[in-house]
Amino acid sequence: MAAILCYVTDRNALASPDAASLRSVVRRAIAAGIHWIQIREKDLPARDLAALAREAVAAASGSATRILINGRLDVAVAACAGGVHLGGDALPLAEVAAWCAKNVPQFAAAPRDKQDAGLTAGAAAFLLGASCHSLAEAQAVHRDGAHYIIFGPVYSTPSKIQFGAPQGLARLEEVCRAVRIPVLAIGGITLDNARECLRAGAAGIAAVRLFQESSNLPALVSSLRKV
C-alpha cells in the first residue's frame, strides 16, 4: 500500500502569512497529488476558517486529495470535509466518535484497519484522527474510535518543542505494532528519513515544512512515493 502523504498547514510560517498565500499552497498541494491536507489554522475565526475549508474542499473535488480540519468538528461537517483531526486540547475523541456515528452517515464508511485505510476509503468517508505523543495515548484513541493516528515528534523539530524530546523510531515502531489503525509519523520528517519511518511501520508521513517550503512540490511528492 502506498504511503499516505499528509500536509499540515501553517500559514503563519509562510513568507506572506495570510489566507491568500495559504490558499495558493493548498491548491499546489492538491495539484501535486498529496493525499491528505489537514487545515490547521487554530487562530482563524470560525467564519474565516469555514470559508478556507469550503474553498479547499471545492478545490480538491474530483482529485485524490482529502481535506481534514484540525480541531473543529463543526467546521469539518459544515464544509463537507473528509474528516476532522483532534489534538490534545480538543473534545474527547470518544464523544466525537459517538456524535459522528449518530449524525454523520459518512462516518460509518471509514475503515479502521491499516490495510484498508486512507487511500482506499471512499471519497464520501469521514475520517476521525488524533495526534498522539505516547503509546498510552495511541492505544486510548484507537480504543475510542479513531481511524488513524499522527504520532510524534519522531525527530527534532522547532514546531514540536513543546511536546518534549523526540520520540524516535523505536517508539514509533512500538506504537505502530500496538494499534490496527494507520499511524502517520510527524516531526522533523524529511525526504531522507521518511523511509526510516515507513520501515518502522508507519502508514505514511505528516509534515508542515517539508511540503509547505518545497520549491518543487510535484517532484517531492513523486520522490516520496518511491521511498
Side-chain angles (χ1 to χ4, degrees):
M1 185 178 69
I4 301 169
L5 307 180
C6 177
Y7 162 44
V8 182
T9 75
D10 181 2
R11 78 184 193 289
N12 292 316
L14 293 170
S16 298
D18 53 60
S21 296
L22 178 58
R23 288 185 177 97
S24 178
V25 178
V26 167
R27 288 193 295 269
R28 291 202 302 271
I30 294 169
I34 288 179
H35 305 118
W36 296 353
I37 298 177
Q38 182 193 140
I39 306 295
R40 187 181 185 274
E41 304 297 327
K42 294 186 176 183
D43 62 331
L44 273 182
R47 185 183 299 273
D48 295 339
L49 179 61
L52 175 63
R54 284 193 294 268
E55 184 171 326
V57 169
S61 178
S63 76
T65 300
R66 176 184 298 277
I67 304 299
L68 308 171
I69 309 301
N70 183 289
R72 294 296 300 261
L73 175 62
D74 54 344
V75 172
V77 173
C80 298
V84 65
H85 184 87
L86 303 180
D89 57 351
L91 293 168
L93 189 138
E95 294 181 17
V96 174
W99 187 91
C100 288
K102 294 179 180 178
N103 298 283
V104 183
Q106 300 93 330
F107 183 74
R112 295 194 67 232
D113 188 288
K114 64 180 64 178
Q115 299 302 317
D116 184 31
L119 303 183
T120 58
F126 188 89
L127 301 183
L128 173 57
S131 294
C132 297
H133 310 291
S134 70
L135 175 61
E137 287 181 354
Q139 292 173 320
V141 300
H142 181 198
R143 178 194 65 229
D144 290 343
H147 297 113
Y148 71 89
I149 290 166
I150 293 183
F151 178 81
V154 177
Y155 303 99
S156 179
T157 177
S159 65
K160 299 294 182 182
I161 290 176
Q162 68 268 35
F163 298 116
Q167 298 282 348
L169 288 169
R171 184 57 54 83
L172 172 64
E173 183 174 6
E174 182 181 27
V175 169
C176 292
R177 288 181 174 178
V179 298
R180 295 191 311 276
I181 57 178
V183 177
L184 275 66
I186 196 171
I189 306 299
T190 67
L191 178 58
D192 292 333
N193 63 33
R195 186 186 298 274
E196 296 177 337
C197 295
L198 300 180
R199 285 176 175 169
I205 58 168
V208 177
R209 291 180 298 160
L210 177 65
F211 298 118
Q212 192 163 274
E213 297 179 3
S214 174
S215 60
N216 191 338
L217 202 47
L220 172 65
V221 170
S222 177
S223 297
L224 286 168
R225 284 175 174 168
K226 297 174 184 177
V227 299

